[in-house]
Amino acid sequence: MSLFLPLALCTLAACCGARSPPHPVLGPPPLFPLGCNSSDVLDIANFIVQDINRDQKDGYVLSLNRVSDAREHPQEAGLGSLFYFTLDVLETGCPVLSRKSWKNCGVRHLHESVYGQCKAIFYINKARRIFFLPAYNCTLRPVSQSKITTTCPDCPSSSPHDLSNPKFLETATESLARYNDKSPSKQYSLVKITKTSKQWVFGPAYFVEYLIQESCPKSQASSCALQPPNSVPVGICHGSLTERHSEKSVSVTCDFFESEAPTPRGENPTVNPRPVNLFKAEEPQQTTHQPKAVPKGTVQYLPDLDNKAEDSQGTDPVEAFPVQLDLTTDPQGEPLDVSFLFLDPMEGKLVVLPFPSKEQRSAECPGPAQMDNPLILPP
């Protein structure tokens, strides 16, 4: 009996050891596809486009054409969700310096369209009223001029800012001189040309868009110096010059930016209230946490697809808009510290995943486009 008991205990221990379960293998965190045309998704897309436009210091306001993909990644309890959005966008005629909402800006005519795609990671914590854009990247291209010529041979041929032809500078200077002649008091000088195009009417016609800054009062125009080169642009002008035989025809219109001081987010809070916590996060003197730099993004302009290198033809069409937004390559995700967004002292770390591919997107994506011409829809 004394020999049997130790033997039984050893056998039981061996069995227990054999039955101990292996350590579980963790899978990637859940990422839920969303419908691209739902009201909630469109609201988030609107916030994203607004914040991308606010972050720009140059160029034109982007408008939302459609939601191409949308995913939600719920965080730990009390921390809300991260959203991964792919948006198809169009350039409007409003300079970003105008600080207009994209909804108040018209998109360009087809022959001068600039279109593209943005990828964005957006953080929402509804309980704490936080809406925050940690990262985005956009890639834009002008519409194919060869395809425009095929469908509309008489349309102007556009270029973002082709200054190789001296006629464009001539158009800008002569049209601005025409505007200054008619201005009752203020005078303006050229900052830079932002768009150019040309067309044959009864002769060559040239079209330019350019930023202007205040110069001298008209009464002092002959004696005072121009404003320093770092003066802030105050408006945008559209000028044209048409030649027929030996005659010139010059026209110009100018639009001026709002002079009122912007709110912390560049908009009127009585019209479109924004989360209080997000305002506080941008004002270090009012927070208990010093804001730290977080990833932002860029808007990259690429040439017309007609100008792609010959050896790139026939490749995957997705390469036409190589938008990358990978804050991590770890399938389990990496932490992103957003503690500075919270008013009360607390640690807020989100789990950021690799940006999802579109293979697993919702069957309801992409959503319907505002402008559905295939010439201005990314693949």
Side-chain angles (χ1 to χ4, degrees):
M1 181 69 181
S2 60
L3 294 177
F4 177 74
L5 182 59
L7 181 60
L9 293 175
C10 291
T11 303
L12 181 60
C15 292
C16 291
R19 293 175 183 174
S20 60
H23 293 291
V25 178
L26 296 177
L31 197 60
F32 299 106
L34 303 174
C36 283
N37 199 36
S38 75
S39 58
D40 288 342
V41 164
L42 293 176
D43 285 344
I44 297 172
N46 174 51
F47 281 136
I48 292 172
V49 175
Q50 286 183 13
D51 283 353
I52 290 175
N53 285 326
R54 289 190 194 97
D55 199 43
Q56 306 311 304
K57 304 298 185 291
D58 195 13
Y60 290 83
V61 171
L62 301 180
S63 68
L64 175 66
N65 193 25
R66 70 176 179 183
V67 178
S68 182
D69 191 18
R71 318 285 181 93
E72 180 179 5
H73 178 206
Q75 302 293 304
E76 293 181 0
L79 285 181
S81 291
L82 274 178
F83 293 85
Y84 300 76
F85 272 55
T86 302
L87 307 175
D88 294 342
V89 296
L90 293 170
E91 189 180 78
T92 72
C94 299
V96 295
L97 294 175
S98 69
R99 295 306 169 195
K100 289 185 178 181
S101 167
W102 67 268
K103 292 185 176 181
N104 296 328
C105 298
V107 297
R108 296 182 177 275
H109 296 295
L110 180 62
H111 66 268
E112 57 183 6
S113 291
V114 176
Y115 69 112
Q117 197 165 80
C118 296
K119 290 184 178 180
I121 297 176
F122 197 70
Y123 174 49
I124 296 181
N125 188 324
K126 291 184 178 180
R128 294 178 176 270
R129 301 183 63 221
I130 295 175
F131 297 75
F132 183 66
L133 180 68
Y136 69 90
N137 274 327
C138 302
T139 299
L140 305 177
R141 287 185 184 275
V143 68
S144 168
Q145 288 299 303
S146 64
K147 293 180 180 178
I148 292 294
T149 302
T150 301
T151 57
C152 180
D154 294 330
C155 286
S157 59
S158 300
S159 174
H161 41 75
D162 176 17
L163 300 182
S164 60
N165 189 335
K167 285 293 183 180
F168 290 128
L169 181 58
E170 180 183 342
T171 302
T173 55
E174 292 198 16
S175 63
L176 183 56
R178 170 73 59 88
Y179 188 87
N180 282 331
D181 286 343
K182 295 182 178 180
S183 176
S185 56
K186 294 182 179 180
Q187 297 286 280
Y188 302 93
S189 59
L190 174 67
V191 176
K192 70 173 180 178
I193 297 174
T194 57
K195 292 281 184 182
T196 60
S197 63
K198 57 186 177 180
Q199 183 182 23
W200 185 270
V201 188
F202 299 106
Y206 304 91
F207 308 92
V208 294
E209 297 178 23
Y210 52 92
L211 297 173
I212 57 172
Q213 63 189 7
E214 285 191 22
S215 182
C216 305
K218 198 164 189 174
S219 59
Q220 305 174 12
S222 60
S223 60
C224 71
L226 295 177
Q227 292 288 336
N230 60 349
S231 295
V232 177
V234 296
I236 187 168
C237 294
H238 299 73
S240 69
L241 184 153
T242 304
E243 297 177 338
R244 185 179 184 184
H245 304 303
S246 59
E247 297 181 356
K248 285 184 182 179
S249 176
V250 177
S251 66
V252 61
T253 60
C254 296
D255 297 313
F256 292 89
F257 308 148
E258 293 291 336
S259 58
E260 290 79 12
T263 63
R265 297 292 289 174
E267 63 189 7
N268 185 344
T270 63
V271 175
N272 186 13
R274 294 285 287 174
V276 175
N277 286 11
L278 191 52
F279 292 162
K280 297 295 185 181
E282 294 183 345
E283 302 171 0
Q285 68 275 16
Q286 299 184 24
T287 61
T288 55
H289 292 275
Q290 180 72 18
K292 66 195 313 186
V294 296
K296 270 298 188 183
T298 60
V299 176
Q300 177 186 22
Y301 286 83
L302 298 181
D304 184 339
L305 282 173
D306 298 335
N307 296 324
K308 288 184 66 179
E310 293 183 1
D311 59 0
S312 66
Q313 300 297 325
T315 57
D316 185 347
V318 176
E319 294 180 7
F321 292 92
V323 190
Q324 301 296 327
L325 188 60
D326 286 324
L327 302 186
T328 178
T329 57
D330 186 344
Q332 300 299 322
E334 292 185 12
L336 176 65
D337 191 351
V338 293
S339 302
F340 64 94
L341 291 175
F342 299 92
L343 289 178
D344 50 328
M346 66 171 291
E347 183 178 11
K349 289 189 178 180
L350 309 176
V351 176
V352 180
L353 300 176
F355 204 92
S357 63
K358 65 180 182 180
E359 282 74 15
Q360 301 298 322
R361 66 184 176 187
S362 167
E364 301 175 37
C365 294
Q370 300 295 320
M371 304 286 289
D372 60 0
N373 192 306
L375 292 181
I376 53 175
L377 284 176

mmCIF file of all heavy atoms in Angstrom, residues 228-270:
data_model
loop_
_atom_site.group_PDB
_atom_site.id
_atom_site.type_symbol
_atom_site.label_atom_id
_atom_site.label_comp_id
_atom_site.label_asym_id
_atom_site.label_seq_id
_atom_site.Cartn_x
_atom_site.Cartn_y
_atom_site.Cartn_z
ATOM 1 N N PRO A 228 6.447 93.118 -48.307
ATOM 2 C CA PRO A 228 7.490 92.086 -48.228
ATOM 3 C C PRO A 228 6.977 90.764 -48.781
ATOM 4 O O PRO A 228 5.768 90.510 -48.786
ATOM 5 C CB PRO A 228 7.791 91.994 -46.732
ATOM 6 C CG PRO A 228 6.608 92.608 -46.052
ATOM 7 C CD PRO A 228 6.089 93.655 -46.996
ATOM 8 N N PRO A 229 7.892 89.891 -49.235
ATOM 9 C CA PRO A 229 7.470 88.650 -49.893
ATOM 10 C C PRO A 229 6.703 87.695 -48.995
ATOM 11 O O PRO A 229 6.035 86.801 -49.478
ATOM 12 C CB PRO A 229 8.798 88.026 -50.347
ATOM 13 C CG PRO A 229 9.848 88.664 -49.481
ATOM 14 C CD PRO A 229 9.344 90.044 -49.207
ATOM 15 N N ASN A 230 6.785 87.866 -47.667
ATOM 16 C CA ASN A 230 6.073 86.968 -46.759
ATOM 17 C C ASN A 230 4.700 87.506 -46.381
ATOM 18 O O ASN A 230 4.077 87.020 -45.439
ATOM 19 C CB ASN A 230 6.904 86.703 -45.500
ATOM 20 C CG ASN A 230 7.214 87.987 -44.742
ATOM 21 O OD1 ASN A 230 7.001 89.084 -45.244
ATOM 22 N ND2 ASN A 230 7.731 87.829 -43.525
ATOM 23 N N SER A 231 4.205 88.515 -47.075
ATOM 24 C CA SER A 231 2.877 89.035 -46.799
ATOM 25 C C SER A 231 1.833 87.968 -47.092
ATOM 26 O O SER A 231 2.000 87.133 -47.981
ATOM 27 C CB SER A 231 2.609 90.273 -47.664
ATOM 28 O OG SER A 231 3.476 91.322 -47.308
ATOM 29 N N VAL A 232 0.752 88.016 -46.342
ATOM 30 C CA VAL A 232 -0.272 86.992 -46.464
ATOM 31 C C VAL A 232 -1.143 87.273 -47.685
ATOM 32 O O VAL A 232 -1.618 88.407 -47.871
ATOM 33 C CB VAL A 232 -1.150 86.974 -45.195
ATOM 34 C CG1 VAL A 232 -2.269 85.950 -45.336
ATOM 35 C CG2 VAL A 232 -0.295 86.671 -43.977
ATOM 36 N N PRO A 233 -1.385 86.284 -48.538
ATOM 37 C CA PRO A 233 -2.311 86.487 -49.663
ATOM 38 C C PRO A 233 -3.704 86.838 -49.146
ATOM 39 O O PRO A 233 -4.163 86.304 -48.138
ATOM 40 C CB PRO A 233 -2.301 85.136 -50.381
ATOM 41 C CG PRO A 233 -0.993 84.518 -50.012
ATOM 42 C CD PRO A 233 -0.732 84.963 -48.601
ATOM 43 N N VAL A 234 -4.358 87.745 -49.866
ATOM 44 C CA VAL A 234 -5.678 88.204 -49.435
ATOM 45 C C VAL A 234 -6.785 87.787 -50.394
ATOM 46 O O VAL A 234 -7.965 87.990 -50.107
ATOM 47 C CB VAL A 234 -5.703 89.738 -49.272
ATOM 48 C CG1 VAL A 234 -4.750 90.164 -48.169
ATOM 49 C CG2 VAL A 234 -5.377 90.438 -50.590
ATOM 50 N N GLY A 235 -6.411 87.204 -51.528
ATOM 51 C CA GLY A 235 -7.438 86.808 -52.484
ATOM 52 C C GLY A 235 -6.863 86.048 -53.653
ATOM 53 O O GLY A 235 -5.651 85.840 -53.757
ATOM 54 N N ILE A 236 -7.752 85.624 -54.541
ATOM 55 C CA ILE A 236 -7.354 84.892 -55.735
ATOM 56 C C ILE A 236 -8.023 85.528 -56.939
ATOM 57 O O ILE A 236 -9.189 85.956 -56.872
ATOM 58 C CB ILE A 236 -7.713 83.395 -55.638
ATOM 59 C CG1 ILE A 236 -7.129 82.632 -56.843
ATOM 60 C CG2 ILE A 236 -9.218 83.184 -55.528
ATOM 61 C CD1 ILE A 236 -7.176 81.132 -56.681
ATOM 62 N N CYS A 237 -7.289 85.637 -58.037
ATOM 63 C CA CYS A 237 -7.807 86.232 -59.269
ATOM 64 C C CYS A 237 -7.796 85.211 -60.396
ATOM 65 O O CYS A 237 -6.932 84.322 -60.451
ATOM 66 C CB CYS A 237 -6.974 87.442 -59.678
ATOM 67 S SG CYS A 237 -7.069 88.834 -58.522
ATOM 68 N N HIS A 238 -8.766 85.359 -61.294
ATOM 69 C CA HIS A 238 -8.851 84.558 -62.509
ATOM 70 C C HIS A 238 -8.685 85.520 -63.684
ATOM 71 O O HIS A 238 -9.539 86.408 -63.887
ATOM 72 C CB HIS A 238 -10.188 83.835 -62.605
ATOM 73 C CG HIS A 238 -10.438 82.873 -61.481
ATOM 74 N ND1 HIS A 238 -10.734 83.287 -60.199
ATOM 75 C CD2 HIS A 238 -10.429 81.512 -61.451
ATOM 76 C CE1 HIS A 238 -10.897 82.226 -59.425
ATOM 77 N NE2 HIS A 238 -10.714 81.141 -60.159
ATOM 78 N N GLY A 239 -7.599 85.352 -64.401
ATOM 79 C CA GLY A 239 -7.323 86.252 -65.516
ATOM 80 C C GLY A 239 -7.262 85.511 -66.836
ATOM 81 O O GLY A 239 -6.939 84.320 -66.873
ATOM 82 N N SER A 240 -7.574 86.219 -67.910
ATOM 83 C CA SER A 240 -7.487 85.621 -69.250
ATOM 84 C C SER A 240 -6.921 86.642 -70.218
ATOM 85 O O SER A 240 -7.088 87.863 -70.042
ATOM 86 C CB SER A 240 -8.864 85.152 -69.739
ATOM 87 O OG SER A 240 -9.715 86.250 -69.993
ATOM 88 N N LEU A 241 -6.232 86.129 -71.222
ATOM 89 C CA LEU A 241 -5.684 86.957 -72.293
ATOM 90 C C LEU A 241 -5.921 86.235 -73.607
ATOM 91 O O LEU A 241 -5.497 85.089 -73.776
ATOM 92 C CB LEU A 241 -4.195 87.224 -72.066
ATOM 93 C CG LEU A 241 -3.470 88.161 -73.043
ATOM 94 C CD1 LEU A 241 -2.288 88.831 -72.332
ATOM 95 C CD2 LEU A 241 -2.951 87.411 -74.278
ATOM 96 N N THR A 242 -6.615 86.913 -74.522
ATOM 97 C CA THR A 242 -6.917 86.335 -75.829
ATOM 98 C C THR A 242 -6.299 87.205 -76.909
ATOM 99 O O THR A 242 -6.423 88.437 -76.867
ATOM 100 C CB THR A 242 -8.437 86.238 -76.047
ATOM 101 O OG1 THR A 242 -9.015 85.478 -74.984
ATOM 102 C CG2 THR A 242 -8.759 85.554 -77.366
ATOM 103 N N GLU A 243 -5.638 86.563 -77.851
ATOM 104 C CA GLU A 243 -5.005 87.285 -78.954
ATOM 105 C C GLU A 243 -5.722 86.962 -80.262
ATOM 106 O O GLU A 243 -6.030 85.798 -80.540
ATOM 107 C CB GLU A 243 -3.524 86.903 -79.061
ATOM 108 C CG GLU A 243 -2.706 87.298 -77.829
ATOM 109 C CD GLU A 243 -1.262 86.851 -77.932
ATOM 110 O OE1 GLU A 243 -1.007 85.904 -78.710
ATOM 111 O OE2 GLU A 243 -0.400 87.421 -77.265
ATOM 112 N N ARG A 244 -5.999 87.977 -81.011
ATOM 113 C CA ARG A 244 -6.589 87.797 -82.340
ATOM 114 C C ARG A 244 -5.953 88.802 -83.274
ATOM 115 O O ARG A 244 -6.147 90.002 -83.123
ATOM 116 C CB ARG A 244 -8.099 87.991 -82.304
ATOM 117 C CG ARG A 244 -8.767 87.692 -83.642
ATOM 118 C CD ARG A 244 -10.270 87.865 -83.549
ATOM 119 N NE ARG A 244 -10.901 87.489 -84.800
ATOM 120 C CZ ARG A 244 -12.203 87.607 -85.050
ATOM 121 N NH1 ARG A 244 -13.004 88.087 -84.094
ATOM 122 N NH2 ARG A 244 -12.703 87.252 -86.220
ATOM 123 N N HIS A 245 -5.151 88.284 -84.205
ATOM 124 C CA HIS A 245 -4.351 89.135 -85.091
ATOM 125 C C HIS A 245 -3.420 89.966 -84.207
ATOM 126 O O HIS A 245 -2.631 89.431 -83.454
ATOM 127 C CB HIS A 245 -5.250 89.997 -85.975
ATOM 128 C CG HIS A 245 -6.229 89.186 -86.783
ATOM 129 N ND1 HIS A 245 -5.826 88.200 -87.654
ATOM 130 C CD2 HIS A 245 -7.593 89.229 -86.838
ATOM 131 C CE1 HIS A 245 -6.896 87.645 -88.214
ATOM 132 N NE2 HIS A 245 -7.984 88.256 -87.725
ATOM 133 N N SER A 246 -3.516 91.260 -84.237
ATOM 134 C CA SER A 246 -2.628 92.095 -83.420
ATOM 135 C C SER A 246 -3.340 92.679 -82.210
ATOM 136 O O SER A 246 -2.795 93.542 -81.519
ATOM 137 C CB SER A 246 -2.061 93.240 -84.280
ATOM 138 O OG SER A 246 -3.128 94.024 -84.811
ATOM 139 N N GLU A 247 -4.546 92.204 -81.920
ATOM 140 C CA GLU A 247 -5.316 92.744 -80.811
ATOM 141 C C GLU A 247 -5.300 91.796 -79.616
ATOM 142 O O GLU A 247 -5.270 90.574 -79.768
ATOM 143 C CB GLU A 247 -6.763 92.997 -81.247
ATOM 144 C CG GLU A 247 -6.905 94.038 -82.347
ATOM 145 C CD GLU A 247 -8.363 94.250 -82.714
ATOM 146 O OE1 GLU A 247 -9.219 93.525 -82.161
ATOM 147 O OE2 GLU A 247 -8.643 95.121 -83.554
ATOM 148 N N LYS A 248 -5.340 92.390 -78.430
ATOM 149 C CA LYS A 248 -5.400 91.620 -77.181
ATOM 150 C C LYS A 248 -6.702 91.931 -76.462
ATOM 151 O O LYS A 248 -7.166 93.074 -76.466
ATOM 152 C CB LYS A 248 -4.236 91.985 -76.238
ATOM 153 C CG LYS A 248 -2.890 91.436 -76.616
ATOM 154 C CD LYS A 248 -1.889 91.814 -75.526
ATOM 155 C CE LYS A 248 -0.492 91.334 -75.871
ATOM 156 N NZ LYS A 248 0.484 91.717 -74.812
ATOM 157 N N SER A 249 -7.241 90.904 -75.823
ATOM 158 C CA SER A 249 -8.407 91.089 -74.965
ATOM 159 C C SER A 249 -8.078 90.511 -73.600
ATOM 160 O O SER A 249 -7.711 89.340 -73.482
ATOM 161 C CB SER A 249 -9.629 90.388 -75.568
ATOM 162 O OG SER A 249 -10.736 90.490 -74.701
ATOM 163 N N VAL A 250 -8.187 91.353 -72.569
ATOM 164 C CA VAL A 250 -7.822 90.947 -71.209
ATOM 165 C C VAL A 250 -9.052 91.054 -70.317
ATOM 166 O O VAL A 250 -9.793 92.043 -70.373
ATOM 167 C CB VAL A 250 -6.684 91.823 -70.643
ATOM 168 C CG1 VAL A 250 -6.368 91.431 -69.207
ATOM 169 C CG2 VAL A 250 -5.436 91.698 -71.517
ATOM 170 N N SER A 251 -9.272 90.021 -69.472
ATOM 171 C CA SER A 251 -10.363 90.072 -68.491
ATOM 172 C C SER A 251 -9.853 89.555 -67.154
ATOM 173 O O SER A 251 -8.878 88.794 -67.098
ATOM 174 C CB SER A 251 -11.567 89.245 -68.961
ATOM 175 O OG SER A 251 -11.232 87.875 -69.016
ATOM 176 N N VAL A 252 -10.528 89.940 -66.065
ATOM 177 C CA VAL A 252 -10.090 89.522 -64.736
ATOM 178 C C VAL A 252 -11.255 89.609 -63.761
ATOM 179 O O VAL A 252 -12.106 90.487 -63.867
ATOM 180 C CB VAL A 252 -8.917 90.416 -64.245
ATOM 181 C CG1 VAL A 252 -9.349 91.870 -64.139
ATOM 182 C CG2 VAL A 252 -8.368 89.912 -62.931
ATOM 183 N N THR A 253 -11.313 88.661 -62.849
ATOM 184 C CA THR A 253 -12.195 88.710 -61.680
ATOM 185 C C THR A 253 -11.385 88.285 -60.472
ATOM 186 O O THR A 253 -10.499 87.416 -60.584
ATOM 187 C CB THR A 253 -13.421 87.780 -61.829
ATOM 188 O OG1 THR A 253 -12.962 86.426 -62.001
ATOM 189 C CG2 THR A 253 -14.291 88.176 -63.008
ATOM 190 N N CYS A 254 -11.661 88.887 -59.329
ATOM 191 C CA CYS A 254 -10.926 88.556 -58.108
ATOM 192 C C CYS A 254 -11.897 88.284 -56.965
ATOM 193 O O CYS A 254 -12.917 88.965 -56.843
ATOM 194 C CB CYS A 254 -9.973 89.686 -57.709
ATOM 195 S SG CYS A 254 -8.639 89.992 -58.911
ATOM 196 N N ASP A 255 -11.581 87.286 -56.158
ATOM 197 C CA ASP A 255 -12.348 86.956 -54.961
ATOM 198 C C ASP A 255 -11.429 87.096 -53.758
ATOM 199 O O ASP A 255 -10.280 86.614 -53.783
ATOM 200 C CB ASP A 255 -12.894 85.529 -55.027
ATOM 201 C CG ASP A 255 -13.864 85.339 -56.185
ATOM 202 O OD1 ASP A 255 -14.752 86.202 -56.346
ATOM 203 O OD2 ASP A 255 -13.733 84.346 -56.925
ATOM 204 N N PHE A 256 -11.959 87.706 -52.685
ATOM 205 C CA PHE A 256 -11.135 87.975 -51.515
ATOM 206 C C PHE A 256 -11.538 87.072 -50.364
ATOM 207 O O PHE A 256 -12.701 86.693 -50.211
ATOM 208 C CB PHE A 256 -11.251 89.455 -51.126
ATOM 209 C CG PHE A 256 -10.616 90.360 -52.134
ATOM 210 C CD1 PHE A 256 -11.351 90.840 -53.218
ATOM 211 C CD2 PHE A 256 -9.282 90.702 -52.032
ATOM 212 C CE1 PHE A 256 -10.758 91.658 -54.163
ATOM 213 C CE2 PHE A 256 -8.676 91.519 -52.972
ATOM 214 C CZ PHE A 256 -9.416 92.001 -54.045
ATOM 215 N N PHE A 257 -10.533 86.714 -49.565
ATOM 216 C CA PHE A 257 -10.747 85.813 -48.446
ATOM 217 C C PHE A 257 -11.402 86.567 -47.295
ATOM 218 O O PHE A 257 -11.290 87.789 -47.184
ATOM 219 C CB PHE A 257 -9.422 85.197 -47.977
ATOM 220 C CG PHE A 257 -8.636 84.560 -49.086
ATOM 221 C CD1 PHE A 257 -7.247 84.558 -49.061
ATOM 222 C CD2 PHE A 257 -9.267 83.937 -50.163
ATOM 223 C CE1 PHE A 257 -6.512 83.965 -50.069
ATOM 224 C CE2 PHE A 257 -8.539 83.341 -51.183
ATOM 225 C CZ PHE A 257 -7.160 83.365 -51.138
ATOM 226 N N GLU A 258 -12.055 85.810 -46.410
ATOM 227 C CA GLU A 258 -12.670 86.405 -45.238
ATOM 228 C C GLU A 258 -11.581 86.987 -44.340
ATOM 229 O O GLU A 258 -10.565 86.355 -44.077
ATOM 230 C CB GLU A 258 -13.468 85.354 -44.455
ATOM 231 C CG GLU A 258 -14.695 84.841 -45.197
ATOM 232 C CD GLU A 258 -15.780 85.890 -45.337
ATOM 233 O OE1 GLU A 258 -15.793 86.822 -44.514
ATOM 234 O OE2 GLU A 258 -16.589 85.779 -46.273
ATOM 235 N N SER A 259 -11.822 88.206 -43.831
ATOM 236 C CA SER A 259 -10.813 88.870 -43.002
ATOM 237 C C SER A 259 -11.017 88.624 -41.523
ATOM 238 O O SER A 259 -10.164 88.943 -40.701
ATOM 239 C CB SER A 259 -10.839 90.389 -43.262
ATOM 240 O OG SER A 259 -12.131 90.915 -42.981
ATOM 241 N N GLU A 260 -12.200 88.034 -41.134
ATOM 242 C CA GLU A 260 -12.443 87.805 -39.718
ATOM 243 C C GLU A 260 -11.458 86.794 -39.167
ATOM 244 O O GLU A 260 -11.068 85.847 -39.846
ATOM 245 C CB GLU A 260 -13.873 87.303 -39.497
ATOM 246 C CG GLU A 260 -14.933 88.347 -39.737
ATOM 247 C CD GLU A 260 -15.213 88.542 -41.220
ATOM 248 O OE1 GLU A 260 -14.748 87.706 -42.007
ATOM 249 O OE2 GLU A 260 -15.859 89.525 -41.572
ATOM 250 N N ALA A 261 -11.064 87.003 -37.912
ATOM 251 C CA ALA A 261 -10.143 86.069 -37.258
ATOM 252 C C ALA A 261 -10.808 84.711 -37.121
ATOM 253 O O ALA A 261 -11.953 84.619 -36.688
ATOM 254 C CB ALA A 261 -9.743 86.585 -35.875
ATOM 255 N N PRO A 262 -10.111 83.621 -37.516
ATOM 256 C CA PRO A 262 -10.715 82.290 -37.431
ATOM 257 C C PRO A 262 -10.805 81.797 -35.997
ATOM 258 O O PRO A 262 -10.070 82.251 -35.124
ATOM 259 C CB PRO A 262 -9.747 81.421 -38.236
ATOM 260 C CG PRO A 262 -8.429 82.114 -38.111
ATOM 261 C CD PRO A 262 -8.758 83.595 -38.049
ATOM 262 N N THR A 263 -11.716 80.870 -35.760
ATOM 263 C CA THR A 263 -11.797 80.180 -34.475
ATOM 264 C C THR A 263 -10.666 79.175 -34.396
ATOM 265 O O THR A 263 -9.944 78.960 -35.369
ATOM 266 C CB THR A 263 -13.148 79.463 -34.348
ATOM 267 O OG1 THR A 263 -13.215 78.474 -35.379
ATOM 268 C CG2 THR A 263 -14.307 80.432 -34.498
ATOM 269 N N PRO A 264 -10.445 78.516 -33.222
ATOM 270 C CA PRO A 264 -9.336 77.567 -33.095
ATOM 271 C C PRO A 264 -9.332 76.480 -34.158
ATOM 272 O O PRO A 264 -8.289 75.938 -34.466
ATOM 273 C CB PRO A 264 -9.549 76.976 -31.698
ATOM 274 C CG PRO A 264 -10.230 78.053 -30.941
ATOM 275 C CD PRO A 264 -11.132 78.731 -31.935
ATOM 276 N N ARG A 265 -10.494 76.128 -34.722
ATOM 277 C CA ARG A 265 -10.518 75.117 -35.765
ATOM 278 C C ARG A 265 -10.842 75.714 -37.119
ATOM 279 O O ARG A 265 -11.163 75.012 -38.058
ATOM 280 C CB ARG A 265 -11.543 74.023 -35.427
ATOM 281 C CG ARG A 265 -11.214 73.261 -34.163
ATOM 282 C CD ARG A 265 -9.995 72.419 -34.332
ATOM 283 N NE ARG A 265 -10.247 71.274 -35.202
ATOM 284 C CZ ARG A 265 -9.324 70.448 -35.610
ATOM 285 N NH1 ARG A 265 -8.082 70.643 -35.264
ATOM 286 N NH2 ARG A 265 -9.621 69.433 -36.370
ATOM 287 N N GLY A 266 -10.814 77.053 -37.214
ATOM 288 C CA GLY A 266 -11.002 77.679 -38.493
ATOM 289 C C GLY A 266 -12.440 77.727 -38.970
ATOM 290 O O GLY A 266 -12.708 77.830 -40.154
ATOM 291 N N GLU A 267 -13.410 77.680 -38.051
ATOM 292 C CA GLU A 267 -14.797 77.729 -38.463
ATOM 293 C C GLU A 267 -15.619 78.411 -37.390
ATOM 294 O O GLU A 267 -15.178 78.606 -36.263
ATOM 295 C CB GLU A 267 -15.333 76.324 -38.732
ATOM 296 C CG GLU A 267 -15.341 75.450 -37.497
ATOM 297 C CD GLU A 267 -15.668 74.007 -37.821
ATOM 298 O OE1 GLU A 267 -15.761 73.661 -38.997
ATOM 299 O OE2 GLU A 267 -15.827 73.230 -36.887
ATOM 300 N N ASN A 268 -16.845 78.782 -37.710
ATOM 301 C CA ASN A 268 -17.730 79.436 -36.768
ATOM 302 C C ASN A 268 -18.378 78.392 -35.873
ATOM 303 O O ASN A 268 -19.162 77.577 -36.346
ATOM 304 C CB ASN A 268 -18.810 80.204 -37.551
ATOM 305 C CG ASN A 268 -19.701 81.014 -36.634
ATOM 306 O OD1 ASN A 268 -19.727 80.794 -35.426
ATOM 307 N ND2 ASN A 268 -20.435 81.949 -37.212
ATOM 308 N N PRO A 269 -18.078 78.361 -34.566
ATOM 309 C CA PRO A 269 -18.591 77.298 -33.712
ATOM 310 C C PRO A 269 -20.095 77.333 -33.551
ATOM 311 O O PRO A 269 -20.699 76.341 -33.184
ATOM 312 C CB PRO A 269 -17.876 77.541 -32.375
ATOM 313 C CG PRO A 269 -17.505 78.980 -32.398
ATOM 314 C CD PRO A 269 -17.236 79.318 -33.837
ATOM 315 N N THR A 270 -20.735 78.466 -33.842
ATOM 316 C CA THR A 270 -22.186 78.507 -33.740
ATOM 317 C C THR A 270 -22.842 77.822 -34.916
ATOM 318 O O THR A 270 -23.996 77.429 -34.848
ATOM 319 C CB THR A 270 -22.665 79.965 -33.682
ATOM 320 O OG1 THR A 270 -22.304 80.624 -34.901
ATOM 321 C CG2 THR A 270 -22.033 80.693 -32.504
#
